[in-house]
Amino acid sequence: MTTPDFPSALERATANSPFLARLIEQRPAIVAHLRQGDPDAALALARQEGEACDTVSDGLRVERGGVALAAAIADLAGAWDLTKVTRTLSDFADRACDRAITAAIMERTPDAQPHGFALIALGKHGGRELNYSSDIDPILLYDRETLPTKEGEEPAKAAVRIGRRVLELLQEPTACGYVFRVDLRLRPTPEVSPIALPIAGAISHYESSAMAWEQAAFIRARAAAGDIALGERFLEAIRPFVWRRSLDFGQIRNIDTMRRSIRDHYSGGQAIGPGYDCKRGRGGIRECEFFVQAQQLIHGGRDEALRTADTRAALFALAAAGHVPRGEADDIAAAYDVLRTAEHRLQMLHDRQTHEIPKREEERDAAARLHGLANGEALIGWIAPHAERVDAIYSDFANWEEAETPTLPLEDDRLDESLVTIGFAAPVNAARLVRRWRSGKLRAIRSERAREGFEAVLPALLQSIAQAPDPLRALARLDSMFERLPSAINFFDLLLARPALIALLGRLLSYTPVLADQLARRADLVDRLVEPDAKRLPGSVEELVAGLRPPDTLDYERYLDRVRADVTEMRFLLGAQLIEGQVDPLAVAAGYARLAEAAIRVLTDRAIAEFQETHGRVAGGELVILALGRLGGRALTHSSDLDLVFLFTGDFTARSDGARELGATDYFNRLSKRVIAALSLPTATGALYEVDTRLRPSGAQGPPCVSVASFAEYQREKAWTWEHMALTRARGVYGSKRAREGIEAVIGEVLRRPAADDLGEDVRSMRTEIEAHKKPVGPLDVKRLSGGLIDAEFVTHFHQLSAKQGLSPELPVAARALADAGLVDEDFVAARDFLTRLLILVRLVSPDCQEPPEPVRALIAEGLELADWAAVMQALKQARGAVTAAWEAALGPREPSKAKD
């Protein structure tokens, strides 16, 4: 970093900027601080001189001149970076606006407190990014109930008079100059509305009738002056208007339309050279800002980290979240710094709000020399590569100038022919649905813009669905989606912006009954497919917990609904990853399990907090949750139940300390039911999971939650062999580390006890019982088939209990340990993994376990990385043979199942 050079900066300013030369001559005391390299002292003096003036009007103008001089010289000297400069200017704007509002109110009502009137800063002022000679673009609001008024005066008239006085104090030219030019045209309907708006009316406007550009404007909104609490209340009320949870790719079109209109309007300032407009020109400041704001609008509804008014901070937040490549973020940030700095040099010449590289050579040279460059040619050479890079990035991002999309004919006979060409062998029913969608009867496809989007995406969408195993069923699901959408504009905009989604949507509707039904109920799930995490596996349980936990300020039901909605979306994405075939099904199964465990933690925490408000706490006691089955083994399918056991620590004779006290046993039993309900009761967003607690001590007839001591006693003295087999996959998923480790120590001690003499007979008997009552439902029921996953699990559990080897709840780990110990062979390990992968896929694409149609067969083969369906069937046969061989080696001849394989 170079050493700041204040003498050189003062010299360049005097020689090249008439405006700064005049200030340097007029403000010698401030210049003295600057010569000593102390711009902060210069700022402080500017404020003191302003406050010493006889009137607020003169004081603001005097301070403004001192701030302008100090900021310019600190900038030119290299002491302040762009952020420091713009924030210094913005903070002065806040202070000036606040003093003007206070003065305007106190002049009219000297005895009143200056409440009830707020200034909302928009644009660069809102983002604390004011440029050197910037206008400010505020909205003025008032509260009828708290605004000070004269006796008998209507609040609306008082607010307008206060607003006019504020404008006069800020922008009226006097012998001391001006403070800021004020542009109020960003307020709602500026051509007819008063300059100050009642807060209730403003909120109503933004909730009901605001335009798209107004949404973009409020990205950088901030309560900057006056009654800050009033301003923040307004911004909080309109937050859902600005930050929409559903992706709105139509905003890219709106913003790009604005960009194009600016290019057309300022056509002379587009080419980089003399006359180039650093703000509105191609690759200029506005395109840097639009690039950031468009993606904030699209993604900020889901990610609060993106809701920052600072352009560069938002840019890097977008990069950190994966929405923008880091290299592009770095390039745009560098360009933004250069373009904003160049803009400042141009404005410092004469204190004019200009963005244009001067056409006159001497003016270009002066701006260049002010910055320390040789001449105007060097100035253009400094700007050009950055503007060209921004132009390339932005044009690629918002490229809507594509070839026209083919449409389907409107005539009935030609429509049928087109549908046959697309791939519908019997087009009658498909054509009937297309005509229904075109009829205007569906609310979602009624507006002109929605119909345009519908016709644009329809051919590709139908082409994708035509290849489905059951195209008409897929079309019916699409019809259900359209029925449930209040408007399909955003849906079609999304598909137009991301054409690859059309093919994926077709696959989801066609091949996955579970995901297709979810889409039919919640079309907004399509939005999630374009998020950066859509193709990533979930992180650790701790990371998921942090991401899933909503604000504590939400009431209980809204809190649960938010978690359920987020978990549903993440499960949907995992299913979509399986359908795309880009990830190992075993990795997806582990992701399902981490997500379920995180949901348990978040929902249980909130259920406990809610329960404690009424019933208090039980001293020395806490709820502990054990996971068994697939969740215990960290490998769920999309539709897996959660096998849970609820326990509590402490003295079962203790009582809670709440307003409605309960005995410990009753307390934890009621609490466990509350947790089960949080996980499983259907709500507006649906149920998350089916919860199965039948593996608890004493089974379905016993209490839902028992003490740890009772659980330990039961497992040591009363549990059956099948219960100890289930216990091999038990692990704590909720509770303090100490409590979970204590219970897992009990489990370890129980599992390491000598095995019963009749262990093998018990295992064989249980398998026979299952076969008698739960026969395979189809040829792909790889769980129940002879030689399937139940057999593999029983073989594993037998060796775990008899040899005390591989005592891990994760079956892949256990199987590997057993193979290393020589108890099973490598074929068994591979067979178990193959059967699990197949199960995970089948549960999603063929839940009835019947042999699927050809397109689904190809999808399963692809997911298993096999050549075709014949290879899948051969691999299944070999896997079942390997499992059967392991069974017979451990437990004797495998009695053939009477079920049809």
Side-chain angles (χ1 to χ4, degrees):
M1 182 176 179
T2 58
T3 302
D5 188 347
F6 282 90
S8 173
L10 286 163
E11 191 175 308
R12 283 182 276 125
T14 302
N16 298 290
S17 166
F19 170 66
L20 291 176
R22 187 167 58 253
L23 286 177
I24 289 169
E25 180 181 353
Q26 293 171 348
R27 309 298 284 271
I30 289 178
V31 170
H33 284 302
L34 294 172
R35 285 195 186 281
Q36 295 169 9
D38 194 349
D40 292 332
L43 275 183
L45 179 58
R47 185 166 184 175
Q48 291 169 13
E49 291 176 347
E51 290 173 347
C53 292
D54 293 334
T55 67
V56 170
S57 175
D58 286 349
L60 291 176
R61 284 155 178 76
V62 167
E63 183 179 353
R64 191 263 177 177
V67 169
L69 178 57
I73 300 305
D75 181 3
L76 294 172
W80 288 359
D81 63 8
L82 179 65
T83 298
K84 175 68 172 176
V85 172
T86 57
R87 290 194 174 176
T88 296
L89 297 171
S90 301
D91 291 347
F92 167 68
D94 289 358
R95 189 164 62 255
C97 292
D98 197 67
R99 286 190 67 189
I101 290 170
T102 299
I105 292 175
M106 299 301 286
E107 287 172 2
R108 307 183 75 257
T109 53
D111 297 330
Q113 293 295 317
H115 295 320
F117 194 95
L119 182 145
I120 305 297
L122 300 177
K124 287 185 170 64
H125 185 195
R128 296 181 71 200
E129 297 177 312
L130 274 182
N131 60 40
Y132 193 75
S133 298
S134 182
D135 292 354
I136 58 174
D137 303 284
I139 291 177
L140 305 179
L141 301 173
Y142 69 91
D143 182 358
R144 295 180 56 86
E145 304 302 320
T146 59
L147 181 72
T149 60
K150 295 181 178 181
E151 186 174 350
E153 186 179 35
E154 278 291 317
K157 291 183 178 179
V160 169
R161 289 167 182 154
I162 291 168
R164 285 175 180 161
R165 180 57 176 152
V166 169
L167 296 181
E168 182 182 353
L169 288 169
L170 291 175
Q171 67 179 10
E172 192 73 23
T174 72
C176 297
Y178 74 103
V179 187
F180 287 103
R181 292 172 294 269
V182 182
D183 187 343
L184 293 175
R185 288 176 297 174
L186 292 185
R187 72 187 189 276
T189 56
E191 63 279 0
V192 296
S193 63
I195 61 173
L197 305 171
I199 184 173
I203 291 171
S204 176
H205 168 80
Y206 291 110
E207 286 179 340
S208 60
S209 54
M211 305 292 288
W213 66 264
E214 293 178 283
Q215 183 191 3
F218 272 90
I219 288 178
R220 295 195 285 181
R222 182 170 57 87
D227 190 336
I228 298 296
L230 174 67
E232 289 178 343
R233 174 155 59 93
F234 164 74
L235 292 176
E236 178 60 25
I238 68 165
R239 183 175 54 79
F241 157 71
V242 182
W243 302 112
R244 299 173 184 174
R245 187 167 176 80
S246 294
L247 298 186
D248 191 354
F249 270 82
Q251 286 294 357
I252 299 182
R253 289 182 179 276
N254 295 328
I255 288 176
D256 196 54
T257 298
M258 291 167 60
R259 177 187 70 101
R260 290 176 187 276
S261 68
I262 289 169
R263 277 188 176 179
D264 293 342
H265 185 70
Y266 294 93
S267 57
Q270 297 303 315
I272 300 172
Y276 174 71
D277 192 308
C278 293
K279 179 178 180 179
R280 305 175 184 91
R282 185 180 292 273
I285 294 165
R286 185 63 62 84
E287 292 190 0
C288 295
E289 294 170 342
F290 281 0
F291 178 84
V292 174
Q293 291 165 15
Q295 298 185 86
Q296 284 182 283
L297 287 173
I298 293 167
H299 305 295
R302 296 180 180 277
D303 187 349
E304 293 187 15
L306 305 180
R307 301 177 191 177
T308 176
D310 182 290
T311 300
R312 284 167 298 176
L315 179 61
F316 290 122
L318 287 163
H323 300 293
V324 175
R326 183 67 195 211
E328 289 188 2
D330 290 339
D331 289 348
I332 289 178
Y336 190 73
D337 280 0
V338 167
L339 290 162
R340 290 296 309 275
T341 301
E343 177 186 54
H344 283 184
R345 302 298 174 263
L346 300 173
Q347 293 174 351
M348 286 175 184
L349 294 178
H350 303 288
D351 190 26
R352 288 203 304 261
Q353 193 193 20
T354 181
H355 318 282
E356 181 181 287
I357 296 177
K359 295 178 181 177
R360 293 173 53 201
E361 183 178 359
E362 59 269 26
E363 286 283 293
R364 288 199 304 277
D365 289 347
R369 289 193 297 267
L370 189 62
H371 186 67
L373 298 172
N375 51 36
E377 185 178 343
L379 177 70
I380 293 170
W382 176 46
I383 294 170
H386 294 284
E388 289 166 357
R389 179 61 178 142
V390 171
D391 180 28
I393 293 171
Y394 188 92
S395 297
D396 182 61
F397 165 67
N399 181 19
W400 301 100
E401 298 174 329
E402 297 176 0
E404 289 189 16
T405 306
T407 58
L408 289 177
L410 297 175
E411 301 84 356
D412 284 353
D413 55 343
R414 292 184 59 215
L415 175 61
D416 287 352
E417 292 173 6
S418 293
L419 290 172
V420 171
T421 302
I422 285 173
F424 288 91
V428 175
N429 289 323
R432 177 180 55 79
L433 276 175
V434 171
R435 286 192 291 271
R436 163 176 150 78
W437 297 334
R438 286 172 164 170
S439 69
K441 294 179 181 178
L442 296 183
R443 177 180 54 174
I445 320 177
R446 194 172 293 160
S447 73
E448 181 178 353
R449 185 174 161 200
R451 289 197 302 272
E452 289 175 357
F454 166 76
E455 294 292 350
V457 304
L458 185 61
L461 195 52
L462 290 179
Q463 193 164 22
S464 178
I465 289 175
Q467 311 307 315
D470 189 342
L472 289 181
R473 180 170 292 181
L475 286 175
R477 290 172 181 138
L478 183 61
D479 184 58
S480 295
M481 287 178 63
F482 290 156
E483 281 274 13
R484 287 174 167 83
L485 284 169
S487 169
I489 291 173
N490 291 341
F491 176 73
F492 296 135
D493 280 339
L494 173 60
L495 296 183
L496 286 169
R498 298 290 189 270
L501 272 184
I502 296 176
L504 177 57
L505 177 61
R507 285 164 71 96
L508 294 175
L509 290 170
S510 301
Y511 299 151
T512 59
V514 176
L515 300 185
D517 289 343
Q518 283 185 302
L519 276 172
R521 292 192 300 271
R522 281 190 58 189
D524 63 294
L525 289 171
V526 177
D527 295 353
R528 293 289 279 119
L529 294 171
V530 301
E531 293 289 315
D533 61 350
K535 298 183 184 299
R536 291 200 298 259
L537 292 167
S540 68
V541 174
E542 289 71 23
E543 291 169 337
L544 287 168
V545 166
L548 286 174
R549 202 183 297 280
D552 290 335
T553 53
L554 293 181
D555 65 44
Y556 185 63
E557 291 303 326
R558 287 177 64 205
Y559 188 99
L560 299 191
D561 280 349
R562 173 76 70 83
V563 177
R564 288 162 174 152
D566 288 348
V567 173
T568 296
E569 291 171 2
M570 295 177 77
R571 292 174 70 193
F572 174 82
L573 292 180
L574 284 168
Q577 288 184 41
L578 281 173
I579 297 307
E580 289 192 280
Q582 302 300 310
V583 64
D584 185 348
L586 293 181
V588 173
Y592 280 131
R594 291 194 299 276
L595 182 57
E597 186 173 343
I600 290 169
R601 290 196 195 177
V602 173
L603 292 172
T604 302
D605 279 347
R606 186 56 192 263
I608 290 174
E610 186 79 4
F611 193 77
Q612 287 175 346
E613 288 185 9
T614 302
H615 301 291
R617 304 168 184 267
V618 175
E622 66 170 296
L623 184 70
V624 184
I625 303 176
L626 288 183
L628 293 87
R630 292 201 164 277
L631 179 58
R634 294 189 172 95
L636 292 179
T637 71
H638 190 84
S639 55
S640 289
D641 295 348
L642 304 184
D643 293 307
L644 303 178
V645 171
F646 292 85
L647 308 172
F648 68 91
T649 64
D651 183 0
F652 72 91
T653 66
R655 300 190 67 79
S656 69
D657 59 7
R660 294 170 58 184
E661 69 171 46
L662 296 169
T665 300
D666 193 18
Y667 179 98
F668 286 108
N669 274 291
R670 291 194 190 186
L671 176 56
S672 63
K673 290 178 181 177
R674 181 75 64 93
V675 173
I676 292 169
L679 287 164
S680 62
L681 283 182
T683 67
T685 54
L688 276 188
Y689 299 101
E690 293 292 327
V691 176
D692 189 341
T693 62
R694 290 174 296 176
L695 293 177
R696 65 185 186 268
S698 302
Q701 304 307 313
C705 185
V706 300
S707 70
V708 171
S710 296
F711 172 82
E713 179 184 5
Y714 179 85
Q715 293 294 342
R716 289 176 180 132
E717 300 178 10
K718 301 177 182 178
W720 295 71
T721 296
W722 69 266
E723 291 175 292
H724 283 172
M725 290 171 65
L727 206 60
T728 60
R729 285 199 279 177
R731 63 185 181 88
V733 293
Y734 187 84
S736 68
K737 181 179 180 181
R738 179 179 179 183
R740 286 183 283 113
E741 288 177 348
I743 293 170
E744 288 172 359
V746 170
I747 293 170
E749 181 259 316
V750 169
L751 294 179
R752 285 181 172 81
R753 288 186 166 196
D757 294 338
D758 54 357
L759 174 63
E761 183 56 39
D762 285 348
V763 172
R764 288 189 293 271
S765 176
M766 282 184 285
R767 184 64 181 104
T768 300
E769 184 74 11
I770 289 173
E771 282 189 304
H773 296 96
K774 294 183 178 181
K775 301 182 185 300
V777 297
L780 294 183
D781 191 349
V782 296
K783 179 178 178 181
R784 295 173 181 169
L785 287 173
S786 172
L789 279 170
I790 290 180
D791 283 359
E793 290 167 7
F794 276 31
V795 168
T796 301
H797 298 332
F798 170 78
H799 286 303
Q800 287 175 309
L801 294 176
S802 60
K804 311 305 176 186
Q805 295 285 332
L807 288 172
S808 168
E810 298 179 57
L811 290 179
V813 176
R816 166 49 48 205
L818 296 179
D820 291 344
L823 297 170
V824 297
D825 57 29
E826 292 294 335
D827 287 348
F828 174 82
V829 177
R832 198 215 65 82
D833 287 349
F834 170 81
L835 292 169
T836 304
R837 287 188 175 95
L838 182 55
L839 175 77
I840 293 162
L841 287 165
V842 165
R843 286 284 191 264
L844 200 58
V845 301
S846 186
D848 61 1
C849 297
Q850 301 303 313
E851 192 163 298
E854 179 56 39
V856 179
R857 296 181 191 179
L859 189 150
I860 292 174
E862 180 185 355
L864 295 172
E865 297 185 348
L866 293 173
D868 51 29
W869 188 247
V872 173
M873 290 293 95
Q874 180 61 28
L876 176 57
K877 180 179 179 181
Q878 292 174 348
R880 291 176 64 188
V883 171
T884 299
W887 175 287
E888 292 178 345
L891 293 159
R894 176 75 171 86
E895 294 184 9
S897 169
K898 295 181 175 62
K900 184 178 179 180
D901 287 0

